[in-house]
């Protein structure tokens, strides 16, 4: 599987690549992940970390305690998987306590050191004390840590002292470092944890004051900015780098400039992905580190190739008739059929829909299975995708078919990198030079869809064929292109999907929005290219369970929403009914030109505006899991009509209940 | 359905009942609920509120906008359901703005007033402005609200001005009242919302300074104490009264003493129950108000009858053999069979298990279906349960069976109120006097289980019968009674279940705990009687979905855990294996008498302690959805071994994966 190995290309710094940061260059750091970041048993966690391609792990004590494997067996298992055990954690409430308690703590530590020797781990995380027994006395803390470190060094073990954000007396990294400095023992250093540092608003620049060799370990976690109790925030809302709001590239840069050469290790847990599958979480995790290394200037994977438009959207259904009927009503014409597969091409303007009758008879009926993305350099796009662990989709391609590479997005949607019609690629080679002699450029994949007449006789085309006359008679309704697609995401994979589209495709995420649905808030986040030519709205249902299979939709652009709406009504299109109350409210909400709201009401058109422009839109009824939206953007409107989503969702809910 | 009507008894104040608070007495307040508190369409929300027994609703504007029903149709629908429309909400960003914006706002308001006339609503909620256009000028705000109120009164409409906790300039209730007082218009009063008041830590005693007739509306929401951004807190974490940490009885008392006579209205929404079923949410909601009224001294429903012990736990399985085998190994003896049903009684000491072969062949196999609760006054317990909307379970009872009343807990577990053996009830009547002449007291339900010999010949007892000799040979293993039961709760119903057990049974909830499971944190909260004789642990899985059907368990007490463990091992009981690593850690964690940990390790016994005592426990393997725990409490230990839950959960996870 492509996702399970890392190419060397992503791990070494390409000489001569420009780098805006003055960060020491060398081999990219080793990667590590705390077992607490993954779900399942310790054995399953190790397997998932290794399969994703991590170099090492932190062993979380509770995972070992609950494991039927002995420490020796864990050591062997990790070694067999090619994983180093970079850290054992945590040791709590050690320092700055009355002598009697300290002696007890040293006894406790001695047992842990013995265990670590069995485990083959030589670095122990020591958290700043949260115990009510601890006193606020740096000299005493330093003395105690010195004694602990002396004991540790007898076992060949080193200690990494970490300031917990909620530590009783020590809760900032610079304070922890002052104590470590005062303790002055070679087996004692600090552990820096980005969450503990950034959640308290500490200035990470001070990291550069710490000698690199005294930074024994670096734990990374991102988090959304939420003003809440820091312990709860830490426990429930950590996320992988790039999925929250922290500047982790900056922090890593400080550590590297300080001289830190240890692994970048992820210590991340939250309510959502603790429940997820460990194998895919591990891949998501490693991808986040690769992107972080790139942002911090520590590695130079192939740069992203930002798509410049939608080449097509592919719908799959076991019975294609309802979708064909809908496409005809929308004014699409069937212009071709794939030479070797039961797939039809439907077109109107620059909007292209592939309709595949090869559905596997899945219960959810029609669904959006793939997107074609206009990609200036397909080969470079594939290299980027592979470097960032995107699973490449194996193609069953006939010899004469155009070469089309695709990767699978986290929700399973296949993303095809399609030519733009220039025939050239970024590296100067013409794809026509390729040994397979396949067709190239924008026309490349379309050449696989010869015009229907001549290729398919009426009634012989298998599931999906109807009278070609009907299909070609489609009178255009003013639809020009695909404006955006909206893809509901599985609950566990929302942050993963957002990071995937950002890092693999180079699309920029918008803010996250909460939309009111009759059954809870739907979280929505769009990713878009810089010019808005590709927009994908990622939505997540309020929770897992039976309501997770929300409809997908394709939004088609028009330059005259009223004309398009009128034509679709004349053609008898099934459109989602908008309640009258909506227009009463709309009328009260804004100031209008006379008759304008009456027009919108007559055609069931919804309305939104932002600082830059206006948005008009309406929806078809749903077929299987899929519906269409018709949209008109004017001015520089950048949104998706979020204001109207509750009305749409309620109307769909009503339609569902009959 | 018993849950859909409210008895008059709960709505009027019983004369002569003692009341510690000096709250004016009169008819209990009317109850209302905001449509935003319930899931589904507006029509579904109205139906659910009426079915639960609410007197009225607040109509949330977005629910109306998204509804295909016209305002007139909503008005008729509500009237047909017997619901008043107590409030229309919200009107935003009205006051303290430049004149031009104010004029626009007045136009907007005029349209809303017209709509409210169609709807038949005469009270509009006006929220303090969050607009950047608003200025910090109380006199201007008062003037603008006066103008708005004048306009409203022309339509027979009144305005309730509410300080949002995140209002731009007005965010405390006393500030809102000062402005309303200054505006001095009969159609203008305040709306008090407990969340906005208590989330900011305002002192609610000031409510008594407001003339009662100027408190136009009272909205109630509880919330857990979380230090977080107040808007997010409000949006995601509100809960029904009694399910959070706010003192709502105190707040309501202040409002009533101020002279407020309007409805108590629930405006509550959170991430969890927006997804739930509206009908059951509405019942949960109304129950919370009834309990609140009782706490505030506004009504006197029949007092709770706290159970004094477990009479039995009933297990149901389509194939009972695995459970019978387990019970035999645990040393239970089959002592009786129900006279008319395929249910056996198994006993050891005071621990009694009913085993029913009448399983409906549910996929989840063996499950805990019912609990018998030793109840000093069964009739009074039923009256309490009915007053608090607990669904009474219809019994299929043969003529000679003992009368047993049961209610269904939110998770479907049936709770039977059983006699304690006194034969008398609190009202002085002996149940033996009852017309049906049924058996009474503790022995009552047991009389339905005549000793097996003489009632059931071997092999004729239907599913569940085996050689009675085997069943009776059970040598006791030292188990004395049921210590507690643990019931996993459906995700949406955790707070509901906690409130149900507290209010219907009079059990006291413990603190809520997070337990680490290999697939996320399990939230756990126990409810217990004052003497610990009845303890029920409610657990909730990290989310809905396939992992929601967690096992239930019955914890059985012993006075000598080592002796019991030894005997069970000798008998070949299937016990959950505890990892060796657990004992290594245990040894390091505490100071031990020599050999003690070796004994615990040899018998696979887990250990915990708290300030008051010690806890030893171990687990059987799981049959269907059920397993047993054997526990020994010493000293005054009050917990459930939460420290060891991750080890148990991981071991169960490992056992599941084989």
């Amino acid at each position: 599987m492509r996702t399970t190995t890392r190419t060397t290309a992503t791990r070494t710094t390409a000489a001569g690549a420009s780098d805006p940061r003055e960060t020491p260059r060398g081999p990219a750091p080793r990667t590590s992940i705390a077992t607490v970041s993954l779900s399942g048993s310790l054995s399953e966690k190790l397997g998932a970390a290794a399969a994703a391609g991590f170099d090492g792990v932190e062993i979380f004590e509770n995972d070992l305690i609950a494991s039927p494997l002995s420490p020796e067996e864990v050591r062997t298992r990790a070694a067999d998987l090619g994983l180093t055990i970079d850290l054992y954690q945590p040791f709590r409430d050690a320092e700055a306590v009355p002598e009697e308690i300290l002696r007890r703590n040293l006894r406790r530590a001695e047992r842990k050191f013995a265990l670590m020797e069995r485990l083959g781990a030589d670095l122990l995380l020591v958290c700043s004390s949260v115990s009510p027994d601890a006193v606020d006395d740096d000299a005493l803390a330093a003395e105690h840590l010195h004694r602990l470190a002396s004991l540790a060094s007898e076992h060949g073990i080193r200690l990494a002292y970490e300031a917990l954000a909620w530590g009783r007396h020590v809760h900032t990294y610079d304070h922890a470092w002052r104590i470590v400095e005062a303790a002055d023992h070679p087996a004692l250093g600090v552990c820096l944890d980005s969450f503990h540092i950034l959640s308290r608003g500490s200035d990470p620049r001070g990291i550069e004051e710490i000698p690199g060799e005294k930074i024994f370990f670096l734990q990374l976690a991102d988090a959304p900015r939420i003003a809440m109790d820091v312990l709860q925030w830490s426990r429930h809302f950590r996320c992988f780098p790039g999925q929250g709001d922290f500047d982790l590239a900056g922090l890593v840069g400080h550590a590297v400039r300080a001289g830190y050469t240890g692994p970048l290790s992820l210590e991340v847990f939250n309510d959502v992905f603790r429940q997820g599958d460990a194998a895919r979480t591990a891949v998501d995790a490693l991808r986040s580190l690769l992107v972080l290394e790139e942002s911090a200037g520590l590695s130079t994977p192939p740069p992203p190739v930002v798509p410049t438009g939608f080449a097509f959207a592919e719908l799959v259904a076991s019975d294609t008739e309802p979708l064909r009927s809908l496409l005809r009503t929308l004014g699409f014409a069937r212009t071709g059929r794939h030479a070797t597969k039961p797939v039809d091409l439907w077109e109107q303007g620059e909007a292209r829909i592939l309709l595949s009758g090869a559905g596997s008879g899945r219960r959810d009926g029609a669904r959006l299975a793939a997107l074609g993305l206009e990609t200036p350099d397909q080969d470079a796009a594939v290299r980027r995708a592979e470097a960032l662990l995107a699973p490449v989709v194996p193609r069953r391609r006939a010899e004469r078919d155009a070469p089309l590479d695709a990767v699978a997005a986290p929700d399973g949607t296949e993303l095809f990198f399609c030519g733009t019609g220039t025939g050239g690629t970024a590296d100067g080679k013409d794809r026509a030079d390729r040994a397979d002699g396949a067709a190239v450029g924008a026309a490349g994949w379309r050449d696989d869809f010869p015009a229907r007449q001549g290729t398919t006789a009426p009634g012989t085309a298998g599931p999906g064929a109807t009278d070609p006359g009907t299909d070609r008679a489609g009178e255009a309704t003013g639809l020009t292109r695909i404006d955006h697609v909206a893809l509901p995401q599985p609950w566990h994979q929302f942050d993963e999907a957002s990071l995937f589209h950002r890092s693999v495709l180079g699309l920029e995420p918008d803010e996250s929005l909460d939309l009111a649905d009759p059954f809870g808030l739907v979280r929505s986040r769009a990713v878009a290219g810089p010019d808005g030519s590709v927009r994908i709205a990622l939505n997540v249902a309020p929770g897992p369970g039976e309501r997770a299979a929300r409809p997908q939709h394709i939004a088609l652009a028009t330059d005259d929403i009223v004309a398009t709406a009128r034509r679709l009504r004349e053609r008898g299109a099934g459109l989602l009914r908008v309640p009258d109350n909506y227009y009463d409210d709309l009328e009260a909400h804004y100031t209008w030109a006379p008759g304008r709201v009456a027009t919108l009401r007559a055609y069931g058109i919804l309305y939104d505006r932002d600082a830059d422009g206006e948005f008009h839109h309406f929806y078809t009824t749903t077929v299987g899991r899929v519906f269409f939206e018709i949209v008109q953007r004017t001015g520089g409107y950048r949104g998706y009509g979020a204001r109207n989503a509750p009305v749409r969702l309620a109307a769909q809910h009503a339609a569902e209940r009959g």
Side-chain angles (χ1 to χ4, degrees), chain A:
Chain A
M1 197 169 85
R2 300 299 276 271
T3 60
T4 61
T5 55
R6 298 169 66 197
T7 61
T8 359
T10 69
R11 312 294 305 142
T12 52
T13 305
S18 74
D19 177 16
R21 291 162 186 267
E22 294 176 35
T23 307
R25 283 311 196 63
R30 295 190 323 107
T31 56
S32 189
I33 186 165
T35 55
V36 72
S37 310
L38 298 169
S39 63
S41 68
L42 180 55
S43 175
E44 290 162 338
K45 291 165 191 242
L46 295 177
F54 278 95
D55 300 313
V57 292
E58 305 173 24
I59 302 256
F60 178 55
E61 179 162 275
N62 282 12
D63 283 327
L64 181 71
I65 290 175
S67 173
L69 300 180
S70 70
E72 290 82 0
E73 286 168 329
V74 173
R75 175 186 200 150
T76 307
R77 182 74 56 92
D80 289 349
L81 290 166
L83 292 170
T84 52
I85 297 179
D86 297 322
L87 185 78
Y88 185 74
Q89 63 126 316
F91 191 78
R92 298 186 192 276
D93 299 333
E95 78 285 11
V97 287
E99 181 63 23
E100 186 201 319
I101 296 179
L102 182 76
R103 281 211 215 108
R104 212 189 302 151
N105 290 348
L106 292 173
R107 273 199 304 277
R108 176 160 63 96
E110 187 106 45
R111 288 181 175 278
K112 294 299 173 192
F113 297 151
L115 185 150
M116 288 174 66
E117 288 185 276
R118 296 170 62 195
L119 195 58
D122 65 359
L123 186 61
L124 175 66
L125 179 73
V126 176
C127 299
S128 64
S129 181
V130 299
S131 165
D133 296 324
V135 295
D136 188 8
D137 180 339
D138 285 5
L140 190 66
E143 185 207 320
H144 287 180
L145 289 174
H146 186 99
R147 286 164 68 182
L148 196 63
S150 302
L151 196 60
S153 62
E154 290 170 21
H155 295 263
I157 285 168
R158 298 183 311 147
L159 307 178
Y161 183 58
E162 174 183 75
L164 294 180
W166 51 88
R168 187 164 168 84
H169 303 295
V170 179
H171 35 69
T172 59
Y173 77 92
D174 48 319
H175 191 180
W177 162 237
R178 284 199 305 276
I179 292 172
V180 165
E181 197 174 19
D184 191 26
H185 192 288
L188 180 68
V190 293
C191 172
L192 301 179
D193 180 304
S194 63
F195 183 87
H196 293 298
I197 295 169
L198 299 175
S199 65
R200 291 194 64 98
S202 294
D203 183 347
R205 286 175 298 184
I207 292 171
E208 298 191 27
E209 310 298 319
I210 308 174
E213 71 277 9
K214 292 303 259 184
I215 305 177
F216 280 10
F217 210 70
L218 179 56
Q219 293 180 315
L220 297 172
D222 203 343
R225 283 263 166 229
I226 316 176
M228 71 183 296
D229 171 70
V230 71
L231 177 59
Q232 293 301 320
W233 188 17
S234 170
R235 187 173 288 171
H236 299 288
F237 294 97
R238 287 181 177 225
C239 56
F240 291 127
Q243 297 177 351
D245 297 322
F246 288 165
D247 176 15
L248 294 187
L251 186 139
V252 167
H254 295 306
V256 170
R257 281 192 291 278
Y260 176 70
T261 57
L264 303 183
S265 189
L266 295 167
E267 194 195 20
V268 173
F269 30 84
N270 68 42
D271 289 349
V272 172
F273 72 62
R274 263 202 255 235
Q275 301 171 53
D277 172 65
R280 74 176 303 147
T281 303
V283 170
D284 179 31
L286 187 56
R287 181 181 301 127
S288 78
L289 267 191
L290 298 177
V291 175
L292 176 62
E293 287 174 11
E294 180 184 29
S295 312
L298 300 172
S299 73
T300 48
V305 181
V306 183
T308 56
F310 288 105
F312 61 81
E314 179 175 7
L315 299 174
V316 175
S318 44
D319 173 11
T320 56
E321 174 45 34
L323 281 174
R324 279 184 285 133
S325 165
L326 181 53
L327 287 170
R328 276 194 297 268
T329 315
L330 290 175
F332 278 78
R334 182 155 66 154
T335 57
R337 157 155 286 229
H338 194 277
T340 60
K341 297 174 198 159
V343 182
D344 288 335
L345 170 62
W346 293 72
E347 296 188 81
Q348 183 176 183
E350 298 291 308
R352 298 173 209 100
I353 307 287
L354 299 186
L355 186 53
S356 169
S360 53
R362 284 165 56 136
R363 221 182 21 162
D364 54 7
R367 66 194 169 89
L368 199 158
L371 293 174
L373 300 171
E374 299 281 7
T375 307
D377 182 341
Q378 295 110 286
D379 290 343
V382 171
R383 285 196 301 274
R384 170 75 178 178
E386 286 186 295
L388 292 180
L389 315 178
V392 173
V393 179
R395 299 306 298 168
R396 292 175 303 278
R397 188 160 67 81
E399 205 184 325
R400 59 180 167 169
D401 288 356
L404 265 187
D405 292 307
V407 294
D411 66 354
T413 305
E414 297 183 359
L415 305 175
F416 285 85
F417 300 120
C418 301
T420 54
T422 64
T425 59
D427 60 6
K429 289 193 205 135
D430 194 303
R431 286 175 67 92
D433 294 343
R434 289 166 57 133
D436 59 7
V440 298
W445 65 269
R446 291 178 67 191
D447 289 347
D448 295 340
F449 293 84
R452 277 199 73 256
Q453 284 167 330
T455 57
T456 316
T460 64
T466 60
D467 178 358
T470 314
D471 293 346
R472 312 219 78 185
E475 184 201 345
T477 59
L479 302 177
T480 58
R481 50 185 283 276
I482 296 176
D483 179 86
H484 67 273
V485 297
L487 299 174
Q489 299 297 305
W491 197 56
H492 297 148
Q493 297 160 27
F494 188 67
D495 286 333
E496 177 187 354
S498 172
L499 180 65
F500 179 96
H501 287 92
R502 176 163 78 82
S503 63
V504 174
L505 303 179
L507 300 175
E508 276 305 312
D510 275 357
E511 266 182 278
S512 196
L513 299 174
D514 284 342
L515 312 177
D517 173 273
F519 289 94
L521 297 180
V522 174
R523 192 171 151 212
S524 180
R525 182 167 211 176
V527 293
D531 54 356
S533 52
V534 169
R535 303 177 201 258
I536 302 175
L538 306 169
N539 303 319
V540 71
E546 72 279 17
R547 296 192 196 282
R550 307 249 158 177
Q552 307 164 313
H553 80 261
I554 300 172
L556 302 162
T558 174
D559 295 328
D560 185 344
I561 192 96
V562 173
T564 298
R566 185 185 306 121
R567 257 178 268 170
L568 291 189
R569 295 196 158 225
E570 286 162 6
R571 298 167 70 97
L575 302 178
L576 199 67
R577 196 173 166 261
V578 180
D580 258 354
N581 300 328
Y582 171 81
Y583 295 100
D584 293 344
D585 178 69
L586 198 62
E587 204 150 13
H589 201 83
Y590 299 110
T591 310
W592 295 96
R596 183 66 185 163
V597 172
T599 303
L600 299 183
R601 190 192 297 259
Y603 292 106
I605 296 167
L606 299 154
Y607 176 84
D608 190 25
R609 67 168 70 155
D610 65 13
D612 302 315
E614 292 182 307
F615 190 62
H616 292 82
H617 58 144
F618 61 90
Y619 299 93
T620 71
T621 50
T622 303
V623 173
R625 278 190 69 193
V626 177
F627 64 92
F628 291 90
E629 179 181 6
I630 316 297
V631 312
Q632 182 180 10
R633 294 173 187 274
T634 47
Y637 180 89
R638 292 182 61 244
Y640 301 83
R643 154 182 215 287
N644 300 321
V647 172
R648 188 255 296 171
L649 290 163
Q652 288 177 330
H653 168 65
E656 229 172 76
R657 302 235 166 162

